[in-house]
Amino acid sequence: MGGKQVYSICGMCTVRCPIQVEVTGDKIDFLQGNPHAAGLEGGLCARGSAGIALIEDRERPQYPMIREGERGEGKWRRVGWDDALDYTAERLKEIMARHGSKSVLFSDRGGPFRDLHQAFVRGLGSPNYSNHDSSCARNVMHAAQSLFGFGRKDVVYDLKNARHVVLQTRNIFESINVKEANDLMTAISQGCKLTVIDIRATLTATKADRFFLVRPGTDYALNLAVIHELLAQRLHDMKFTRMYIKDLKTLQALVEPYTPAWAAEETGIAAERVIEFVRDLAEAKPAVIWHPGWMTARYRDSFYVSRSIYIINALLGAIGSKGGLPLANKPGDVGRKGLKKLADLVSKPKEPRADGVGLSYAHFDAGPGLLHLAFKAMETEDPYPLKAYIAYRHDPLMGYPEPERLKRIFSNLDLLVAVTFSWSDTAWFSDVVLPLSPYLERESILAAKNGLKPHFFLRQRAVTPAFDTKADWEILCGLAKRLGIEPLAFNSIQDIWDYQLEGTGVTMKDFEATGMAALTDQAIYQPRDNLKFKTPSGKIEVTSTRWENHGIPSLKPYESPTRPETGTFRLTFGRCAVHTQGHTVNNYLLHELMPENVLWINDQEAAKLGIKDGDYVEVGSNGHAGRLKAKVTPFIHPEAVFMVHGFGHTLPVESRAHGKGVADNALMPGGLEKWDPAGGGMALQEHFVTVRKIEEV
Ligand code: SF4
């Protein structure tokens, strides 16, 4: 074992698990979950353990680069950091002088360290900070805001104390959050029941007491039937409902026709099974979690699916309950002060956002806006031109539909900058690559985690960068200096940390023992008879005035989804346990575990097409096609095919990932126009593909 221990934060996915790194000299000997972090038990998932492979990987950007050839041609000029930052700052200045500060767009992947990014964009004078969330969790976020007046992260999933967990749109044992997975396993070992609702039998489904193979796109029908049954049989938590739910009668009127027998026709799930399921839920209430998932950019009605999930939790009295969804404590809730915001160092721009959020779409959360609408603005110059785009650790060319159209849209830009630790299609298409040090080689700003036991946490550098790369604060503060954003021109990370901690009563010394600074000694459950919701009525609002005032119904009657035409399938996608979207596919350790994706196809449908397990197939949609192997299985609904997201890399610099598998987003023609107008999320599973057997080449 090594000479010193460094506490830091994993960066292999957005969960950000605390880690402990054993280091000798400048070499990492061992990486594990932080043993002081409750629920981790020192563990990491496969991706977290493979983070070590980033360090010596030469197939990542190793120094700053400026484009020499055409966009996407891959001809680069190596430059030093001063040149790269000078060049970027000068180009930004020119563009802002010509088109105004608002012509700059910045997107990241959200997460706990975004304060510095938001501060930087504000400092430029642009309102256009955005993130990936319109292709991820915006529907669930807006569903929470419409009901509770607060966001999805203002409740906690108290899995460890739950008596019944329902996972719909959440594949917890493959799309891993280590603490959540451990807590659920602990709960199951103590008798907690698990119900999984999915269009295929995931690894999570194999651990379930009950599995509903639901017809793709009919989740809302199932949930309406559950609400119907809960209310009709008076199985809901009546005291909680009386205290906290507003407009119950409106809900009752909506679900009146949606009986379990009616839903069976739509979903394929027998009425008796739903009735028995609802009884089980009622028995376990209020220690029930019906998890709303975090990746709900799927169907046109996903906002309503997310709302129905939260409504079921509320009817079961689970909101605010131990073993359910207790409210997350912020520092103020435990009598402490939160970290000082870097964004408060600069004033908020008054210009409207290019994506229309906050103005035309005033009901949506203006925080990160909706990135696909910013791309539309970039395309049409309406309401104004966007001429510079900084993609920070974000690859929209892999994460959003229609990558070829997006490239055409990006051609309207005068400057595209990628800040990245791995190659991506977006980085390859950019004008400047500013290489980020991998997380084991960089510090980040301090971050806070709200929850039953809120705390601050620290990411620190475990080893010095192997190549000529920099931390995010070095890059953004370096640009801030050149752009004259004085309040953000920090010279050291220590100065940033000191600023953030001012007035909190916490010092850097408090992080030494565990890498975390707790703000309370024990978990605190807010009293269930005094819950505060941030809606106008102070209650859970089944009818949201914020949405209704913008012409969007809070409750929507069910509409049956399109069935695929003969010979076509609904394209569905998801995660696996060993990769995080596109950015781990070229990691040599993870590539070894899973080098390519395959196409799940129902066995009876495959037989009709003469496809056997392991055959190569072509998946096509409107002139777009990809080739991969078929996984023929009875454990997927016959209307759907499925592939793991993130494959189909085409960059020559990624020798391992190159040419392996298929990218689902390339099979979604017209996809940038398909989104849920009520929740703002993309409707990425409203696409249909053909499948045919091809000979191996
Ligand atoms: S879930 Fe895995 S990849 Fe994600 S932060 Fe935790 S250890 Fe890292």
Side-chain angles (χ1 to χ4, degrees), residues 10 12-13 15-17 44-45 47-48 176-178:
C10 181
M12 293 295 280
C13 85
V15 173
R16 311 293 195 314
C17 294
L44 292 178
C45 75
R47 299 163 301 159
I176 294 178
N177 169 322
V178 176

Side-chain angles (χ1 to χ4, degrees), residues 9-10 13-16 109-117 153 339 444-449 457 459 500:
I9 299 295
C10 181
C13 85
T14 47
V15 173
R16 311 293 195 314
R109 293 189 51 83
F113 306 115
R114 65 188 183 281
D115 180 23
L116 179 60
H117 308 167
K153 292 189 179 167
L339 294 169
S444 296
I445 64 169
L446 292 172
K449 175 89 177 160
F457 59 92
R459 171 183 279 157
Q500 290 182 284

Side-chain angles (χ1 to χ4, degrees), residues 11 15 113 136 187 191 207 238 240 364 387 389 408-409 424 445 462 464 479 481 483 486 550 586 589:
V15 173
F113 306 115
C136 191
K207 311 285 177 214
M238 291 188 215
F240 185 92
F364 289 146
K387 288 293 179 185
Y389 175 29
R408 287 195 298 277
I409 292 174
S424 68
I445 64 169
T464 48
L479 285 173
K481 267 180 209 161
L483 289 158
E486 288 309 321
H550 288 89
N586 200 52
L589 292 173

Side-chain angles (χ1 to χ4, degrees), residues 11 115 138 162 244 269 332 379 408 436 602:
D115 180 23
R138 272 297 89 177
Y244 291 119
I269 297 163
E379 185 174 43
R408 287 195 298 277
L436 193 61
N602 177 270

Side-chain angles (χ1 to χ4, degrees), residues 211-287:
F211 171 51
F212 290 144
L213 184 74
V214 69
R215 180 159 86 83
T218 64
D219 297 72
Y220 190 41
L222 175 67
N223 296 5
L224 289 172
V226 167
I227 297 173
H228 173 104
E229 190 64 9
L230 273 172
L231 293 174
Q233 304 306 327
R234 301 181 65 74
L235 291 170
H236 56 296
D237 184 326
M238 291 188 215
K239 186 173 169 217
F240 185 92
T241 303
R242 261 194 309 276
M243 275 181 84
Y244 291 119
I245 301 186
K246 187 168 169 282
D247 303 321
L248 187 71
K249 285 211 164 61
T250 317
L251 180 66
Q252 262 164 331
L254 174 83
V255 298
E256 214 260 314
Y258 301 130
T259 62
W262 164 85
E265 294 288 312
E266 278 298 310
T267 62
I269 297 163
E272 314 79 65
R273 294 190 71 203
V274 174
I275 292 167
E276 185 194 55
F277 169 50
V278 172
R279 271 195 224 118
D280 271 6
L281 290 177
E283 258 173 44
K285 72 175 184 298

Side-chain angles (χ1 to χ4, degrees), residues 4-225:
K4 66 170 179 174
Q5 288 173 351
V6 180
Y7 294 113
S8 193
I9 299 295
C10 181
M12 293 295 280
C13 85
T14 47
V15 173
R16 311 293 195 314
C17 294
I19 55 173
Q20 179 181 292
V21 194
E22 305 272 350
V23 181
T24 305
D26 217 10
K27 189 174 164 303
I28 295 175
D29 296 320
F30 193 63
L31 190 57
Q32 63 171 333
N34 184 334
H36 304 287
L40 283 194
E41 327 302 352
L44 292 178
C45 75
R47 299 163 301 159
S49 309
I52 210 159
L54 290 173
I55 291 181
E56 56 202 78
D57 189 357
R58 292 193 164 266
E59 296 198 354
R60 64 172 164 106
Q62 297 163 38
Y63 40 77
M65 280 169 271
I66 295 176
R67 175 169 66 85
E68 291 254 284
E70 294 299 311
R71 277 204 177 119
E73 205 183 345
K75 287 191 183 157
W76 302 100
R77 171 163 53 100
R78 179 178 180 165
V79 292
W81 274 100
D82 277 340
D83 287 346
L85 296 178
D86 287 348
Y87 178 84
T88 305
E90 282 310 310
R91 298 295 307 277
L92 284 171
K93 277 186 201 164
E94 282 163 28
I95 291 165
M96 291 192 294
R98 209 171 320 126
H99 302 282
S101 299
K102 64 187 178 192
S103 63
V104 183
L105 172 70
F106 183 110
S107 75
D108 61 19
R109 293 189 51 83
F113 306 115
R114 65 188 183 281
D115 180 23
L116 179 60
H117 308 167
Q118 288 171 314
F120 177 73
V121 185
R122 268 190 187 196
L124 288 174
S126 171
N128 294 313
Y129 165 79
S130 196
N131 69 19
H132 72 298
D133 211 34
S134 75
S135 64
C136 191
R138 272 297 89 177
N139 284 319
V140 71
M141 180 68 171
H142 287 142
Q145 289 181 338
S146 72
L147 283 156
F148 309 133
F150 52 63
R152 69 187 178 100
K153 292 189 179 167
D154 288 310
V155 291
V156 175
Y157 303 111
D158 192 10
L159 290 154
K160 212 167 166 177
N161 296 304
R163 295 183 58 212
H164 196 141
V165 172
V166 184
L167 299 176
Q168 181 180 29
T169 74
R170 178 83 184 92
N171 180 9
I172 206 166
F173 294 133
E174 289 184 273
S175 179
I176 294 178
N177 169 322
V178 176
K179 180 176 174 356
E180 281 193 0
N182 281 346
D183 283 355
L184 180 56
M185 286 192 286
T186 304
I188 289 171
S189 69
Q190 291 165 358
C192 171
K193 282 194 176 170
L194 175 63
T195 296
V196 169
I197 303 162
D198 208 320
I199 58 103
R200 68 184 180 111
T202 59
L203 204 139
T204 307
T206 65
K207 311 285 177 214
D209 299 280
R210 178 187 283 111
F211 171 51
F212 290 144
L213 184 74
V214 69
R215 180 159 86 83
T218 64
D219 297 72
Y220 190 41
L222 175 67
N223 296 5
L224 289 172

